[in-house]
Amino acid sequence: NIVLLNDKEPKIKTLIDNFSRELPKKMKYYERIFKELKLIVKNNFVDCFLQVIDILEITKHIPHIIRGSSGSSLTCYLLGITNIDPIKYNISLARFMHEYRTDLPDIDIDFPYNQREYIFQNIFKIWKNKVARISNHNMYHNKSALRQAIRDEGHRKFVPKFCSLNKIFNDKQKIENVKKKKDDLMGTFRCYSLHCGGIVIFEDDISDDMLVKDKQLKFNKDDVEKNGLIKIDILSNRGLAQLWDISKMPIIDYPSCDYKTINILTKAENIGLTFAESPGMRKIFKDIKPKNIDDLAKCLALIRPAASESKSKDSENILVYDDDAIHYIQKLTGCNEGEADIYRKAFSKNRFEKKMEFISHIKNNPNKKKIIKNLESLHYYSFCKSHSYSYAQLVWCLAFHKANNPKEFWCSTINHCHSMYKKWVHYCEAKKSGLKLVLGK
């Protein structure tokens, strides 16, 4: 079957040739990779994967993890883009890619925060005038529109956060002008700002009229999507810098079972574990007593507002991950995963027509109101399963070093972590480990 795909799309051979991991000789893996490659060919996604491979090739001496749904893809795992085997962790493909999705899937890459500018420099050096970062399009909202309207009426002094127009202007006509101008400005374009990490690599040199300034496109992420361009996010991660300073061991090589690590996790000794050291996480650790990456992934997802809200709406059908919502919708309607993901997204993005379409499918369900309330919780921030597992792997590695190499762990933690805690909290924990502290780096 893969040979037949090669005949239809020569780029697929290039993709397969770039696999850095062997495909396990099990039917589940063969079925999954064939399904993915068919979708990649059908929707012309090959270049998206190849561009990510090119970036990872020039950053291969720097560790990375992914965020978002690309960990749902076996193709990404075999290419070395992710460290998550979706078959092993039972992660469905639909959150990343399915037969109804024609827009390019996102592949967001986290690098150590202190290496990101170096990575950008290398990308700009290699692709020169063919690469640029994307913009955010900032629009006028209530406060910014009011301030701009005040300035347009000739007021040049500082405008306080809470201001009365009567104290700024004596002229009633000017006050009316400000109110009208403010209403006219609401929702209109205000200015460009630099996107946190999105880049686009073009086949040809970028023309000057597409740029706000050097290396910054006028396009925002929606413009990139409309124009069928590939956006790759190069993002910062402090936990990854913290880990890399302790050890250069690849994340995937850490032992999956270590009793010292399990001990500190089950005791909820989570201070210093980036992404998992908040008081809320400590409470969840105490309740769940995580013993492996599966448990950690669940903990990381449960702290998000959507999962908490879902738990309060329907304790029997908690939507821990976005993926749970897909399976929940499938079970209720009998639709396939792709259709279920469209309905999930409708509740997440508040798309009225699709929500009504879903509701029509469950109109005779006696628990209809409860189901709708549960799915409405998706409007809050949530994690997809692959994102949770990616960060769970990182937390496990940090916990491993906290348990087994405490001095190195606390030295790196103090140097890299900017957390909700005051610095003395980390200092006290470091002293307990036997680390002799000297102020400075």
Side-chain angles (χ1 to χ4, degrees):
N1 283 336
I2 291 175
V3 170
L4 290 172
L5 279 170
N6 287 346
D7 292 338
K8 291 179 183 176
E9 176 56 77
K11 284 184 179 179
I12 282 290
K13 184 178 186 308
T14 308
L15 205 61
I16 294 168
D17 288 344
N18 276 282
F19 283 177
S20 60
R21 294 186 174 114
E22 283 190 24
L23 181 69
K25 293 180 173 67
K26 293 180 182 177
M27 188 52 68
K28 276 187 176 180
Y29 286 89
Y30 286 123
E31 288 172 350
R32 177 64 163 265
I33 196 65
F34 184 62
K35 179 182 178 181
E36 291 192 21
L37 292 175
K38 271 182 73 177
L39 285 171
I40 290 166
V41 169
K42 179 189 170 190
N43 294 312
N44 197 25
F45 290 161
V46 180
D47 288 342
C48 179
F49 291 91
L50 293 177
Q51 277 198 5
V52 174
I53 293 166
D54 285 342
I55 289 171
L56 292 180
E57 179 60 29
I58 65 171
T59 60
K60 60 187 175 185
H61 59 294
I62 300 171
H64 76 277
I65 60 172
I66 60 93
R67 68 172 75 178
S69 62
S70 57
S72 311
S73 165
L74 180 59
T75 306
C76 284
Y77 176 69
L78 295 175
L79 288 166
I81 293 170
T82 74
N83 294 314
I84 301 161
D85 179 342
I87 305 297
K88 177 184 175 183
Y89 293 121
N90 192 28
I91 305 174
S92 64
L93 180 64
R95 183 61 180 76
F96 179 62
M97 191 167 54
H98 52 73
E99 60 266 45
Y100 304 109
R101 180 172 185 172
T102 55
D103 58 309
L104 287 163
D106 283 344
I107 301 178
D108 301 338
I109 313 166
D110 276 11
F111 291 102
Y113 76 98
N114 53 356
Q115 297 293 317
R116 198 173 74 130
E117 289 309 312
Y118 167 75
I119 290 165
F120 275 129
Q121 286 172 14
N122 276 314
I123 288 170
F124 293 142
K125 184 178 178 181
I126 289 168
W127 281 281
K128 295 183 180 175
N129 299 323
K130 296 179 181 179
V131 62
R133 293 178 68 175
I134 66 171
S135 295
N136 296 312
H137 290 179
N138 300 316
M139 314 305 280
Y140 279 107
H141 298 290
N142 189 52
K143 290 178 182 177
S144 57
L146 177 61
R147 286 196 183 93
Q148 187 59 48
I150 289 169
R151 291 189 193 99
D152 288 349
E153 277 300 310
H155 184 78
R156 294 290 178 264
K157 295 180 182 178
F158 173 72
V159 179
K161 189 174 182 181
F162 301 102
C163 59
S164 168
L165 289 177
N166 291 321
K167 290 184 178 179
I168 296 174
F169 299 110
N170 295 321
D171 188 335
K172 286 185 179 180
Q173 186 57 51
K174 283 198 170 189
I175 292 172
E176 288 304 313
N177 290 346
V178 167
K179 289 177 179 178
K180 184 179 183 309
K181 180 70 175 177
K182 177 201 156 189
D183 291 339
D184 291 342
L185 285 171
M186 288 280 284
T188 62
F189 178 78
R190 182 186 171 198
C191 64
Y192 296 102
S193 65
L194 192 62
H195 187 272
C196 61
I199 62 165
V200 177
I201 301 171
F202 292 82
E203 288 185 11
D204 302 309
D205 286 359
I206 303 168
S207 58
D208 290 342
D209 62 326
M210 292 174 68
L211 298 170
V212 178
K213 54 185 178 182
D214 186 39
K215 301 299 183 187
Q216 183 180 343
L217 287 170
K218 290 178 180 175
F219 291 171
N220 69 0
K221 62 180 183 178
D222 295 326
D223 296 329
V224 170
E225 189 178 309
K226 284 175 192 173
N227 285 277
L229 299 168
I230 299 167
K231 174 178 78 73
I232 298 169
D233 279 350
I234 309 293
L235 303 166
S236 292
N237 190 306
R238 282 192 173 269
L240 207 49
Q242 180 189 4
L243 179 64
W244 200 39
D245 233 18
I246 304 166
S247 171
K248 302 295 190 284
M249 184 193 296
I251 282 175
I252 203 159
D253 291 344
Y254 279 78
S256 58
C257 182
D258 177 75
Y259 292 109
K260 286 185 178 180
T261 305
I262 292 168
N263 187 47
I264 70 160
L265 291 173
T266 54
K267 286 183 176 178
E269 295 176 3
N270 63 328
I271 302 293
L273 302 179
T274 301
F275 304 117
E277 68 168 350
S278 70
M281 284 300 295
R282 188 183 307 127
K283 184 178 183 301
I284 290 176
F285 276 20
K286 284 180 178 178
D287 290 342
I288 291 178
K289 299 193 181 303
K291 298 178 179 66
N292 50 45
I293 286 169
D294 299 273
D295 293 344
L296 279 174
K298 189 176 181 181
C299 291
L300 288 167
L302 279 170
I303 197 80
R304 309 302 146 190
S308 302
E309 188 71 16
S310 173
K311 188 176 181 180
S312 70
K313 302 299 182 192
D314 189 347
S315 58
E316 292 179 10
N317 296 290
I318 305 171
L319 307 179
V320 178
Y321 309 108
D322 288 349
D323 310 56
D324 292 337
I326 294 172
H327 303 316
Y328 183 55
I329 291 166
Q330 264 192 291
K331 186 179 175 182
L332 289 166
T333 64
C335 66
N336 63 35
E337 284 189 338
E339 291 168 320
D341 184 61
I342 290 169
Y343 290 135
R344 175 203 65 79
K345 205 166 186 178
F347 279 93
S348 175
K349 305 290 185 184
N350 201 24
R351 292 171 180 168
F352 181 77
E353 287 184 11
K354 276 293 172 185
K355 281 167 68 174
M356 292 301 104
E357 186 180 305
F358 167 78
I359 291 166
S360 71
H361 287 303
I362 60 162
K363 62 183 178 183
N364 298 321
N365 192 309
N367 296 314
K368 185 175 84 168
K369 286 185 179 179
K370 192 176 183 180
I371 291 164
I372 293 167
K373 281 183 179 179
N374 195 13
L375 289 171
E376 290 288 2
S377 65
L378 294 171
H379 188 59
Y380 298 91
Y381 179 56
S382 61
F383 270 2
C384 62
K385 195 172 182 180
S386 66
H387 183 104
S388 282
Y389 271 85
S390 181
Y391 276 45
Q393 287 176 335
L394 177 57
V395 171
W396 174 266
C397 296
L398 290 170
F400 175 86
H401 286 295
K402 183 177 181 181
N404 293 281
N405 305 302
K407 290 182 181 179
E408 292 86 347
F409 171 83
W410 283 112
C411 184
S412 183
T413 301
I414 288 169
N415 282 330
H416 293 293
C417 287
H418 285 192
S419 76
M420 62 183 296
Y421 298 105
K422 298 287 186 184
K423 206 63 156 179
W424 64 262
V425 175
H426 287 159
Y427 271 60
C428 289
E429 293 293 322
K431 283 183 177 180
K432 286 180 193 175
S433 76
L435 185 68
K436 293 180 180 178
L437 293 172
V438 178
L439 290 177
K441 177 74 172 168

